[in-house]
Amino acid sequence: MFNINRLTPKELFSQSSSLLIFHFPFFGGVVLGTNLINTDSVPTMATDGKSIFYNLKFVAENTVEQNSGVLTHEVKHITDKHPLRLNGRDSKLWNISTDLGINNYLKPNGVGLVSYKDPNVRLDLPEGGYFELPQFGLTRDVIPTLTVDQIYNILHQNKDGEDGAGNLPEPSWGGVEEPTNEDGSSMSSEQKQSLESKIDRQIVNAGNSAKTKGVGALTQDIQEIIDTILEPKIDWREAFTFHWQGGDNNCDYSYRRINKKHFAGWGSIDPIIVKNGCGNVGVLDDCSASVSKKEKELGFTELNMLSEDLTPESITVIPFTDIVYKDGIRKFETGEVVSSLNWDKTGGTNVITAFKFIEDNWSEYNFQKLVIFTDCEISNYGDEPSFSDSCQIIWVCTQSKKYLKRYNCIPPYGEVIYIGE
């Protein structure tokens, strides 16, 4: 399509950006709103969520379509907020996991995304990118059914040994890095939240711009992301109270994060249980590394506030991932502040195992309500647990409803509360 023989690397990069702007306007719009930095400090291209870094030596080795593909790859890292979701995980395995998800989105069945204007214009990707890892069950037909967190858990569980995922080579191009301040120091949670808000604005602005280009310029999956950002919210605390009290129908809600004006900061609210009569409450605390601790802490704060008003006899917190951590179980009696256990554990989330543990120990617990704090990135919920006595199940999810709907991860039973935006 393009005659690149006479282009300098800078002109080649400019052509690649132009291709996105004119043929893939959403991705091009994000590129226009992102700092583009030419540097030799990265061998190919990379992003930290704030900027896209590119090496002109790498650009010179590729076609315009391939460079456009790698640029779009970096845009997907940004719009999916991969740099902000590293959260202490193995950076190489996280990079591979996110690359598997992105590359199979950009080249489904080996065919690149097609321009909405011209079917002859397609994104391409250079050789050497990760598309599948059959030895770990990550084939091209399976990967689209998994979240990147689920892919990471599979790789992390199989990282040891001579042929383990830990010995896989670094991705040949593209990269995702955790964002830092200008002096290289770690960003605070407030700074990361500010960056996340900036990315949301980029997504909405790029989407609005793409809509003006015509039919097909904005795909359905991107529209769903924008809808999630713009979705009208109710205060999640109202929904938690509604379900805690029993509610009057089987509905679910989306919510916004608590406004910081309502709280002086984490740990500043210290309510206690002061009454009896609500029965015993169980809390399954998903301690896998993928669960947002900030959102979960909000949930535990609200749990304390409801405990003060709605009088449980006891609250028992049970930590779990793919197993139950029996030595970490804590029972909070009347007058005690309930807190998350804040364990960082690897492994997937197996709620079936946790339910089975409660069933086996029902005579000890006899819960009237069971609250599960989790990201709900669960591949198998199993059948609704049949405890010996009636027990209301309330899922408090740190992801958004539309995010989980996209990956078919919404709990099929119980009441669902979405803390995540």
Side-chain angles (χ1 to χ4, degrees), residues 140-151:
R140 292 194 70 155
D141 60 326
V142 169
I143 288 170
T145 70
L146 302 175
T147 66
V148 294
D149 299 271
Q150 290 170 330
I151 294 171

Side-chain angles (χ1 to χ4, degrees), residues 67-131:
N67 284 320
S68 296
V70 180
L71 262 177
T72 306
H73 175 105
E74 301 305 332
V75 167
K76 281 288 290 177
H77 277 312
I78 293 173
T79 58
D80 291 353
K81 302 174 183 175
H82 293 154
L84 290 168
R85 294 164 57 192
L86 189 57
N87 293 330
R89 289 185 254 208
D90 183 304
S91 59
K92 184 175 82 171
L93 293 186
W94 181 243
N95 200 348
I96 293 172
S97 302
T98 56
D99 281 4
L100 284 167
I102 290 174
N103 292 345
N104 283 280
Y105 171 86
L106 297 181
K107 292 190 73 172
N109 302 315
V111 179
L113 295 185
V114 180
S115 163
Y116 83 104
K117 295 177 66 174
D118 184 347
N120 295 314
V121 178
R122 298 173 181 263
L123 290 180
D124 197 5
L125 291 171
E127 295 294 325
Y130 279 108
F131 288 91

Side-chain angles (χ1 to χ4, degrees), residues 229-334:
I229 295 171
L230 298 178
E231 182 182 38
K233 317 291 185 188
I234 69 165
D235 193 307
W236 74 271
R237 296 169 298 164
E238 296 175 9
F240 200 177
T241 302
F242 176 83
H243 288 311
W244 183 282
Q245 292 175 322
D248 56 12
N249 54 34
N250 184 24
C251 57
D252 53 24
Y253 296 85
S254 295
Y255 338 40
R256 55 181 168 80
R257 291 191 178 99
I258 291 178
N259 191 315
K260 289 184 180 179
K261 292 180 181 178
H262 298 165
F263 298 97
W266 311 127
S268 61
I269 293 179
D270 206 28
I272 60 174
I273 303 169
V274 294
K275 303 175 184 178
N276 291 307
C278 187
N280 300 306
V281 174
V283 176
L284 283 175
D285 187 3
D286 185 351
C287 294
S288 59
S290 62
V291 177
S292 167
K293 294 179 180 58
K294 183 174 182 179
E295 302 284 20
K296 190 166 64 173
E297 198 63 37
L298 291 179
F300 271 85
T301 295
E302 187 63 20
L303 179 62
N304 274 295
M305 297 179 75
L306 288 173
S307 296
E308 185 176 19
D309 293 334
L310 303 173
T311 65
E313 293 178 9
S314 68
I315 297 180
T316 301
V317 181
I318 303 173
F320 79 106
T321 54
D322 51 353
I323 61 173
V324 172
Y325 299 98
K326 299 177 185 178
D327 57 340
I329 296 173
R330 287 192 60 192
K331 185 175 183 179
F332 297 86
E333 303 287 356
T334 302

Side-chain angles (χ1 to χ4, degrees), residues 404-416:
L404 295 178
K405 185 176 181 180
R406 193 185 317 159
Y407 296 105
N408 196 30
C409 289
I410 292 179
Y413 49 82
E415 314 293 352
V416 187

Side-chain angles (χ1 to χ4, degrees), residues 178-412:
E178 193 160 22
T180 61
N181 296 310
E182 296 301 321
D183 61 1
S185 61
S186 298
M187 296 180 72
S188 67
S189 58
E190 289 78 11
Q191 289 172 321
K192 288 183 178 180
Q193 187 172 341
S194 176
L195 176 56
E196 184 174 359
S197 297
K198 176 180 179 295
I199 292 171
D200 284 343
R201 290 195 298 273
Q202 284 181 268
I203 291 172
V204 173
N205 290 339
N208 288 337
S209 176
K211 280 183 179 179
T212 67
K213 307 301 181 184
V215 176
L218 195 64
T219 60
Q220 181 60 36
D221 63 295
I222 295 172
Q223 183 63 61
E224 288 181 359
I225 294 173
I226 295 171
D227 289 344
T228 298
I229 295 171
L230 298 178
E231 182 182 38
K233 317 291 185 188
I234 69 165
D235 193 307
W236 74 271
R237 296 169 298 164
E238 296 175 9
F240 200 177
T241 302
F242 176 83
H243 288 311
W244 183 282
Q245 292 175 322
D248 56 12
N249 54 34
N250 184 24
C251 57
D252 53 24
Y253 296 85
S254 295
Y255 338 40
R256 55 181 168 80
R257 291 191 178 99
I258 291 178
N259 191 315
K260 289 184 180 179
K261 292 180 181 178
H262 298 165
F263 298 97
W266 311 127
S268 61
I269 293 179
D270 206 28
I272 60 174
I273 303 169
V274 294
K275 303 175 184 178
N276 291 307
C278 187
N280 300 306
V281 174
V283 176
L284 283 175
D285 187 3
D286 185 351
C287 294
S288 59
S290 62
V291 177
S292 167
K293 294 179 180 58
K294 183 174 182 179
E295 302 284 20
K296 190 166 64 173
E297 198 63 37
L298 291 179
F300 271 85
T301 295
E302 187 63 20
L303 179 62
N304 274 295
M305 297 179 75
L306 288 173
S307 296
E308 185 176 19
D309 293 334
L310 303 173
T311 65
E313 293 178 9
S314 68
I315 297 180
T316 301
V317 181
I318 303 173
F320 79 106
T321 54
D322 51 353
I323 61 173
V324 172
Y325 299 98
K326 299 177 185 178
D327 57 340
I329 296 173
R330 287 192 60 192
K331 185 175 183 179
F332 297 86
E333 303 287 356
T334 302
E336 291 187 279
V337 175
V338 184
S339 61
S340 171
L341 302 179
N342 290 327
W343 287 15
D344 286 329
K345 297 290 183 180
T346 59
T349 302
N350 189 337
V351 73
I352 297 175
T353 298
F355 286 151
K356 180 64 166 55
F357 173 81
I358 293 173
E359 289 175 1
D360 291 343
N361 296 276
W362 186 254
S363 61
E364 178 182 352
Y365 296 127
N366 190 28
F367 296 136
Q368 279 71 61
K369 297 180 186 292
L370 181 61
V371 180
I372 304 104
F373 285 100
T374 177
D375 57 11
C376 284
E377 293 185 2
I378 299 171
S379 59
N380 182 12
Y381 285 93
D383 297 327
E384 183 172 2
S386 53
F387 300 124
S388 299
D389 299 291
S390 176
C391 178
Q392 182 188 16
I393 293 176
I394 304 174
W395 303 87
V396 180
C397 179
T398 61
Q399 296 283 13
S400 70
K401 179 178 180 179
K402 288 195 174 182
Y403 176 87
L404 295 178
K405 185 176 181 180
R406 193 185 317 159
Y407 296 105
N408 196 30
C409 289
I410 292 179

